[in-house]
């Protein structure tokens, strides 16, 4: 028996070998015993060091921040590519992974650096056999260096000092997907998403404190008005396999993203709820772009080294999956794109799609949901007697937990053949075009038969959100025929971004351009408080 254990130990000793690395290829957490996170200068120095001498990496720029910092993106490919045209000519899927959208959530920034090192200088070079990878380790460059202690108390002071959530313009970059006011968002959309067209978008975060029992939780892109196939592939294929492989290789538990509140529901809980479906969240916007996306949320209450590791192994297994299945992913995305176009061509003016949604449960329950256990007791003293919940140290598995992560339409609108935007609303046309939408200026008069929306009320929220008093419109569509002339903008909806266009332009959309105040001035100028005002964007079913 003693000989048996010696053999086991001998095998383990041979399987775990130290990497002999130059100091320049070590990250700030590694050098600080995981007490510090990387500054912007640290990341840029690491990028320079990891890229030096490699024939598999090209550094490009997403753009510059308000403070003039370059937002680096590393293009990894074998053979090397430098442009979107070269990447598309390769026929390989493009995978985009970003960290540091919220600068206090540092794990993605650090894990991406480690992954860069392992691909370019370690044993993960084979991950470039069948795919092209774009890494953006430090998306929110300015706010990363505004470090102070106490910013993220749920992270157990590990690290003690982190940056701030908003960018230097004061925007939450993960609420900017529709209004696109941040410099970073515009750089991402115009310089990366539109030209490079990634098949999969991965956004790396850290939770804000829920005591579930997973080292990392995930969510797909919630498709809402988009095509369902990319969501299904992500939910049914990518996430289960990645979760299984991480458990098998690393003994790390991953699970579905969700919040729960014992104080509301009692203990044990019966359900979890995900976040909103809105495409203001970048991951969700990809469902409207007929592409796949994954949200990653490291568990805040673990130590920094654990959170970096769980994020790293999640990235690793995603790339293992995409390296093996990328061609199939491209096929699924292409079929979704074709389906969106075909629906407009065949059913435009006849079929309706959702524009407002409510969160509803999935049919399938979570059979064994991991969470920290709670001790329940009755408080009889004081002004607020009742149940109290104290977290216990052990993790338990709760049976048959309902997962509120589906979205059911509460308001629908007819999908048109397209839209006509009057010439004076050039800003709307430009907003669509920067997202990759094809918009054409009319060269002659046309007659458009379809629907005009008569707004009877425009209510603005009393409390600002992202510096906006969000708008909610009321009214009704009326069938009519209208004339439009030279200089007006024509948007034929039979194009790849049909669902994104629809969600942005429909007046009653819960996250469209009306919601984000793009039309407030027009409605107020035309007296919406006293009379019905016609929404200026016309949806047509027939054009002559």
């Amino acid at each position: 028996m003693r000989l048996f254990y010696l053999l086991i130990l001998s095998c383990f000793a041979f399987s775990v070998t130290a990497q002999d690395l130059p100091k320049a290829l070590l990250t700030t957490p590694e050098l600080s015993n995981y007490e510090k996170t990387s500054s912007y200068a640290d990341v840029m120095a690491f990028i320079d060091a990891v890229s030096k001498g490699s024939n598999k990496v090209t550094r490009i720029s997403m753009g510059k921040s308000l403070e003039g910092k370059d937002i680096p993106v590393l293009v990894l490919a074998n053979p090397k590519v430098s442009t979107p045209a070269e990447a598309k000519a390769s026929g390989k899927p493009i995978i985009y992974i970003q960290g540091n959208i919220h600068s206090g959530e540092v794990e993605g920034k650090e894990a991406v650096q480690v992954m860069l090192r392992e691909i370019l200088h370690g044993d993960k070079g084979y991950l470039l056999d069948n795919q092209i990878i774009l890494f953006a380790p430090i998306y929110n460059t300015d706010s990363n260096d505004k470090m102070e202690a106490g910013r993220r108390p749920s992270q157990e002071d590990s690290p003690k000092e982190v940056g701030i959530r908003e960018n230097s313009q004061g925007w939450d970059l993960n609420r900017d997907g529709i209004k696109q006011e941040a410099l970073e968002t515009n750089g991402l959309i115009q310089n990366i998403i539109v030209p490079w067209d990634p098949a999969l978008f991965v956004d790396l975060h850290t939770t804000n404190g829920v005591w579930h029992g997973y080292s990392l939780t995930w969510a797909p892109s919630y498709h809402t008005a988009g095509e369902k196939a990319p969501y299904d592939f992500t939910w049914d294929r990518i996430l289960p396999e990645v979760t299984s492989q991480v458990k098998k290789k690393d003994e790390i538990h991953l699970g579905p993203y969700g919040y729960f509140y014992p104080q509301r529901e009692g203990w044990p809980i019966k359900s979890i709820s995900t976040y909103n479906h809105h495409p203001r969240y970048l991951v969700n916007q990809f469902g409207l772009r007929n592409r796949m996306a994954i949200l990653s949320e490291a568990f805040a209450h673990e130590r920094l080294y654990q959170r970096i590791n769980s994020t790293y192994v999640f990235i690793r297994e995603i790339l293992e999956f995409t390296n093996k299945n990328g061609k199939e992913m491209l096929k699924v995305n292409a079929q979704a794109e074709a389906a969106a176009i075909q629906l407009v061509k065949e059913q435009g003016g006849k079929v309706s799609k959702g524009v407002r949604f409510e969160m509803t449960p999935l049919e399938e329950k979570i059979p064994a949901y991991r969470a920290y256990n709670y001790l329940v007791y009755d408080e009889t003293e004081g002004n607020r007697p009742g149940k109290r919940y104290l977290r216990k140290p052990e993790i338990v598995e709760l049976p048959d937990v309902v997962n509120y992560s589906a979205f059911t339409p509460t308001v629908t609108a007819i999908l048109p053949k397209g839209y006509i935007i009057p010439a004076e609303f050039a800003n709307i046309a430009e907003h669509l075009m920067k997202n990759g939408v094809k918009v054409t200026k009319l060269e002659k008069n046309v007659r458009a038969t379809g629907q005009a929306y008569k707004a009877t009320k425009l209510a603005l929220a009393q409390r600002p959100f992202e510096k906006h008093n969000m708008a909610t419109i009321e009214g009704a569509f009326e069938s009519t025929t209208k004339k439009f002339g030279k200089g007006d903008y024509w948007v034929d909806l039979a194009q790849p971004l049909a669902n994104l266009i629809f969600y942005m332009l429909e007046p009653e959309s819960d996250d469209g351009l009306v919601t984000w105040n793009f039309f407030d001035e027009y409605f107020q100028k035309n007296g919406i408080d006293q009379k019905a005002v016609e929404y200026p964007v016309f949806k047509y079913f027939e054009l002559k």
Side-chain angles (χ1 to χ4, degrees), residues 2 56 88 147 171 193 202 214 257 274 310 327 331 353 361 419 425 456 469 483 529:
R2 184 172 182 272
K56 298 176 183 177
K88 291 177 182 177
M147 296 191 192
W171 306 120
I193 302 308
V202 182
Y214 302 97
Y257 177 89
T274 190
S310 61
K327 294 288 187 182
K331 184 178 179 181
K353 302 194 81 169
Y419 297 91
F425 292 90
T456 55
N469 295 89
K483 292 182 179 180
D529 292 335

Side-chain angles (χ1 to χ4, degrees), residues 123-168:
D123 62 356
K124 299 294 185 291
Y126 65 89
L127 290 175
L128 300 181
D129 288 351
N130 304 308
Q131 62 188 337
I132 294 168
I133 306 170
L134 273 59
F135 283 124
I138 188 162
Y139 182 49
N140 191 348
T141 56
D142 291 347
S143 296
N144 182 82
D145 287 5
K146 297 177 173 68
M147 296 191 192
E148 286 185 9
R151 287 249 170 80
R152 299 273 302 179
S154 65
Q155 291 177 188
E156 317 295 331
D157 287 331
S158 177
K160 290 184 178 180
E161 295 186 347
V162 296
I164 61 176
R165 186 179 181 89
E166 295 79 12
N167 79 336
S168 50

Side-chain angles (χ1 to χ4, degrees), residues 97-198:
I97 301 177
Q98 73 175 21
N100 213 59
I101 189 169
H102 296 144
S103 291
E105 302 170 23
V106 303
E107 295 69 28
K109 173 183 61 178
E110 307 300 354
V112 163
Q113 291 179 79
V114 175
M115 195 75 241
L116 274 166
R117 182 179 70 206
E118 297 306 301
I119 292 175
L120 297 178
H121 298 275
D123 62 356
K124 299 294 185 291
Y126 65 89
L127 290 175
L128 300 181
D129 288 351
N130 304 308
Q131 62 188 337
I132 294 168
I133 306 170
L134 273 59
F135 283 124
I138 188 162
Y139 182 49
N140 191 348
T141 56
D142 291 347
S143 296
N144 182 82
D145 287 5
K146 297 177 173 68
M147 296 191 192
E148 286 185 9
R151 287 249 170 80
R152 299 273 302 179
S154 65
Q155 291 177 188
E156 317 295 331
D157 287 331
S158 177
K160 290 184 178 180
E161 295 186 347
V162 296
I164 61 176
R165 186 179 181 89
E166 295 79 12
N167 79 336
S168 50
Q169 296 170 275
W171 306 120
D172 184 329
L173 295 177
N174 202 34
R175 307 294 186 271
D176 197 47
I178 294 296
K179 62 186 179 69
Q180 296 171 14
E181 293 172 297
L183 294 171
E184 293 85 351
T185 311
N186 279 275
L188 173 62
I189 296 293
Q190 296 177 63
N191 298 327
I192 303 299
I193 302 308
V194 172
W196 289 87
D197 188 20

Side-chain angles (χ1 to χ4, degrees), residues 210-340:
V210 176
W211 282 93
H212 56 66
Y214 302 97
S215 291
L216 181 147
T217 54
W218 40 249
S221 177
Y222 295 120
H223 63 93
T224 54
E227 304 307 309
K228 196 167 181 288
Y231 164 88
D232 285 343
F233 191 89
T234 309
W235 185 263
D236 296 335
R237 291 281 307 281
I238 302 178
L239 293 171
E241 182 167 330
V242 167
T243 298
S244 174
Q245 289 299 312
V246 168
K247 176 66 167 60
K248 179 180 177 180
K249 295 178 183 179
D250 307 281
E251 279 298 318
I252 291 175
H253 292 270
L254 312 181
Y257 177 89
Y259 285 88
F260 61 82
Y261 304 95
Q263 297 82 356
R264 297 181 189 175
E265 198 176 14
W267 186 260
I269 57 155
K270 302 296 188 295
S271 66
I272 63 169
S273 301
T274 190
Y275 69 106
N276 282 331
H277 61 284
H278 298 130
R280 70 187 66 163
Y281 301 94
L282 294 178
V283 165
N284 285 341
Q285 189 174 131
F286 278 77
L288 299 177
R289 290 179 172 269
N290 307 306
R291 299 295 181 262
M292 301 176 193
I294 295 172
L295 173 72
S296 166
E297 295 271 358
F299 181 50
H301 297 287
E302 290 187 330
R303 305 298 294 175
L304 176 61
Y305 69 89
Q306 295 171 300
R307 302 197 306 270
I308 293 173
N309 186 50
S310 61
T311 303
Y312 167 78
V313 298
F314 188 54
I315 296 169
R316 182 197 70 207
E317 289 307 315
I318 289 172
L319 293 176
E320 291 277 4
F321 182 95
T322 53
N323 193 44
K324 290 185 295 184
N325 301 284
K327 294 288 187 182
E328 186 177 0
M329 293 168 61
L330 287 176
K331 184 178 179 181
V332 170
N333 289 346
Q335 289 174 342
E337 192 170 281

